[in-house]
Amino acid sequence: MCDTCGCNVTPGNRHLLESAHPAGGREPVAVLQGLLAENDRAAAHNRAHLETHGVLAVNLMSSPGAGKTTLLEQTIDRLGGRWRLAVIEGDLETERDAERIRARGVPVVQITTGTACHLDAHMVHRALHRLDLSRLDLLFIENVGNLVCPAAFDLGQHHNVTLLAVTEGDDKPAKYPVMFRAAHLVLFTKADLLPVLGDFAPDRAEDHLRRLGSAVPVLSLSARTGDGVEAWCRWLETALDARRTGAAAP
Amino acid sequence: MHELAVCRSMLSQVARIAARHRARAVTRISVRIGPLSGVEPDLLSQAFPFAAAGTVAEHAALVIDARPVRVHCEACGHEAETGPRNLTCPRCGDGRTRLLSGDELLLAEVELLHQATDT
């Protein structure tokens, strides 16, 4: 799965990984530092970079096929006239999602991760340098479809949004607590299918989320019919206004 | 399965510490991991020998302190151990709990081996 994801070993730091042989005196050294300190440093740099330009960054995470790209298309149609948007697309392979966004006339940078199952702050940093941040208000980062690995990596975003399609089980928050605890907003997508599915209970899904100690807002929507998309756009605009005025997050 | 990436990040931090202390090798790496960090201790242990091969920590033991999930209930003040899937208060059932431990992903300590005088 992730064994080609050596994104932390670069030509710049490889020389530090030198070999040696044990012998002689031992010294314990206390460290107490995050295991992903390198990623977190890069993420803080990204965040500072975005804030210099007043750009709000929203990281979208979900299983593959939960409807991240379709929701982005709808969002662009509704907000594209009022705000300057851009998208960073993370996928294992292909530029298909980027082409769909580009067709909407929005700047997009595709990151193809190969076999790596998540985006990290270094990848996003390189992508940021391919965007003109001075001409942006809102940047979406569409993470690799995966409910496990992306949750562990800070990218420099301001908000995490986790999508849960109603075609998945309503116990997903219980099965993937790390992902759902990381969310600042949870979206139940493909809600137009609820009547035909019958076995996804939004209340039960929300109950599983609350058991994780999460009090974040939950919205149901359908990017296909447009139902509920307005509420999602309002959440985004509240977050944009909050960023501009320096107020607290929604 | 991002544990290999986590392992490599840890090892480059460890290599930097070893270089700063002019250590000859690293003999032990102690980490603290909670179930809400998203990192599986077993997978990290399995990834470690592959990531450490050829590095200054090649012969190091990876010691994982698996932290329990503990919450403090804001409603009734109770402190208790819970599971990662249910962080509600085990005593009163309230959902307003604060996490005391369980999301750690920390490099706690490294044990360095210094240049022996026998060479």
Side-chain angles (χ1 to χ4, degrees), chain A residues 145-225:
Chain A
N146 177 344
L147 280 179
V148 182
C149 311
F153 294 84
D154 185 7
L155 306 177
Q157 76 279 8
H158 300 100
H159 298 292
N160 286 323
V161 176
T162 302
L163 285 69
L164 170 57
V166 302
T167 47
E168 307 176 55
D170 53 24
D171 57 353
K172 278 279 163 83
K175 287 181 171 168
Y176 299 93
V178 180
M179 173 57 73
F180 283 90
R181 268 174 50 79
H184 299 108
L185 170 71
V186 173
L187 302 176
F188 297 158
T189 60
K190 309 190 188 186
D192 54 310
L193 296 177
L194 277 173
V196 289
L197 290 168
D199 53 359
F200 184 102
D203 288 353
R204 212 155 49 215
E206 188 170 337
D207 188 49
H208 282 301
L209 178 70
R210 300 301 173 221
R211 280 169 192 270
L212 302 179
S214 170
V216 303
V218 174
L219 298 173
S220 281
L221 57 83
S222 164
R224 184 155 67 182
T225 65

Side-chain angles (χ1 to χ4, degrees), chain A residues 2-3 6 8 16-18 20-27 29 31-35 38 41 149 174 181 211-212, chain B residues 1-2 4-5 8-9 12-13 15-16 24 54-56 84-87 99 105 107-110 112-114:
Chain A
C2 209
D3 47 358
N8 298 302
L16 293 171
L17 308 172
E18 59 201 22
H21 303 284
R26 294 171 185 223
E27 176 203 8
V29 177
V31 187
L32 288 177
Q33 197 176 51
L35 276 191
E38 296 193 336
R41 255 195 306 275
C149 311
R181 268 174 50 79
R211 280 169 192 270
L212 302 179
Chain B
M1 256 303 282
H2 52 293
L4 192 59
R8 285 179 169 153
S9 171
S12 60
Q13 282 170 260
R16 229 186 340 258
R24 180 168 183 168
T55 75
V56 69
R85 277 149 194 53
N86 191 345
L87 304 178
L99 198 65
L105 188 59
L107 176 59
E109 191 182 271
V110 292
L112 304 176
L113 191 66
H114 283 288

Side-chain angles (χ1 to χ4, degrees), chain A residues 52-76:
Chain A
T52 303
H53 296 281
V55 179
L56 178 78
V58 175
N59 178 28
L60 298 179
M61 298 185 284
S62 75
S63 311
K68 296 185 292 299
T69 312
T70 306
L71 179 62
L72 281 180
E73 289 174 319
Q74 289 293 319
T75 309
I76 290 164

